[in-house]
Amino acid sequence: MRDCILLFMKNPRPGTVKTRLARFIGAEAACEIYRCSILDLLRTLRSVPARLRVCFTPANAGRQVEQLVGRDTVCQPQRGRDLGKRMESAFLDAFNEDGHDRAVLVGSDLPDLPSSILEDALRSLRNHDSVIGPSEDGGYYLIGFRRRSFTGSVFSGIRWGGPRVFEDTARILLTEHLRTHRLTLWHDMDTMADLGEYIRRNRDTPHRLSKTYVTAATCLDSLTNLDRNERWKTRRYRV
């Protein structure tokens, strides 16, 4: 296939993923939500006509990741000293080793990401140099390139995890004179407010039958010890 999807994920272990959610719902529950998110997103990714490659961390978690995503899925450890270098390496592998013409990279906490957005991203790379999807927290949930227009400079000098990741990346894309297609705004799921919003927007959709939705809704219904500031954020999202 000429198109490739790179899924960036962590091995879901309690205490190492979704730590902000874990403060309120516990490490085990937060980890289970993340694990379900990966499985639901994988179903969507596999519906898109592109080759899928799972890029995971830590590097010694290959066996656990294969058990989660399936042995028929290509998996490789992420390589690099920081997130930017790890993403750059993944794109270089897709272009130089696998020979793909177009590649997009997505995060793993997007359980309700529609396949139409992924299809739009790959389609846009037929006449754009790059594509990017902004997230509500100031970062981005997807970035992609054509092989001939890829540059690792878009991952240099970025303060990862900060509120200006998308803004700073978009500025670099402009500086590099890359024709960039901007996708619709989408949602990460890092905080209690994010979790509540996820429940709200999917309450009346088919996604409410997904693994992630059922797990998240059960967690919200069972909350008993939220502090006052967090309780008001989630109260109106109860199912």
Side-chain angles (χ1 to χ4, degrees):
M1 293 184 180
R2 302 176 67 182
D3 295 337
C4 179
I5 298 175
L6 302 164
L7 171 62
F8 257 44
M9 61 165 282
K10 294 181 180 179
N11 179 36
R13 292 182 55 214
T16 66
V17 295
K18 296 300 168 193
T19 53
R20 281 183 284 177
L21 282 179
R23 290 172 50 206
F24 301 101
I25 63 177
E28 293 285 347
C31 182
E32 180 61 13
I33 288 175
Y34 181 65
R35 189 187 73 85
C36 291
S37 176
I38 293 171
L39 294 175
D40 286 332
L41 179 58
L42 278 171
R43 173 185 286 183
T44 302
L45 298 182
R46 287 171 174 146
S47 72
V48 177
R51 181 163 293 166
L52 173 63
R53 181 180 291 270
V54 172
C55 306
F56 63 86
T57 187
N60 62 359
R63 179 176 299 180
Q64 296 95 317
V65 171
E66 283 187 356
Q67 290 175 345
L68 177 64
V69 306
R71 296 187 182 276
D72 58 337
T73 300
V74 177
C75 299
Q76 68 179 49
Q78 299 173 21
R79 304 190 318 276
R81 65 179 180 270
D82 60 20
L83 179 58
K85 283 298 182 182
R86 296 197 296 271
M87 291 195 288
E88 180 181 357
S89 295
F91 275 110
L92 290 175
D93 287 346
F95 292 135
N96 298 336
E97 293 187 12
D98 299 337
H100 295 294
D101 292 329
R102 297 173 288 268
V104 298
L105 184 151
V106 296
S108 50
D109 58 347
L110 305 163
D112 58 342
L113 183 70
S115 60
S116 58
I117 289 182
L118 292 161
E119 291 164 353
D120 180 29
L122 289 167
R123 187 168 52 247
S124 73
L125 290 175
R126 296 174 185 172
N127 49 30
H128 289 78
D129 299 309
S130 60
V131 60
I132 191 168
S135 54
E136 287 187 330
D137 62 0
Y140 56 80
Y141 62 89
L142 181 152
I143 191 167
F145 300 90
R146 291 194 287 188
R147 176 168 50 182
R148 65 187 183 188
S149 61
F150 175 71
T151 171
S153 64
V154 297
F155 304 123
S156 300
I158 302 295
R159 298 184 64 177
W160 302 108
R164 297 182 50 170
V165 171
F166 172 79
E167 180 181 342
D168 291 342
T169 302
R171 184 180 299 112
I172 296 173
L173 292 170
L174 183 63
T175 301
E176 293 288 343
H177 305 290
L178 298 181
R179 292 173 298 165
T180 302
H181 177 62
R182 177 171 173 169
L183 299 170
T184 187
L185 187 74
W186 204 251
H187 326 270
D188 292 323
M189 200 160 59
D190 294 320
T191 67
M192 289 302 299
D194 295 337
L195 193 64
E197 172 59 22
Y198 164 77
I199 291 294
R200 185 201 63 76
R201 69 175 178 267
N202 288 294
R203 182 180 290 129
D204 299 318
T205 72
H207 184 77
R208 67 171 295 151
L209 301 177
S210 69
K211 297 176 184 293
T212 310
Y213 185 96
V214 171
T215 301
T218 300
C219 286
L220 284 184
D221 272 355
S222 63
L223 291 176
T224 58
N225 59 352
L226 284 181
D227 66 38
R228 184 176 181 181
N229 289 332
E230 290 297 322
R231 187 175 291 114
W232 76 265
K233 296 178 184 177
T234 60
R235 182 172 52 213
R236 64 192 177 100
Y237 302 121
R238 300 292 182 85
V239 294

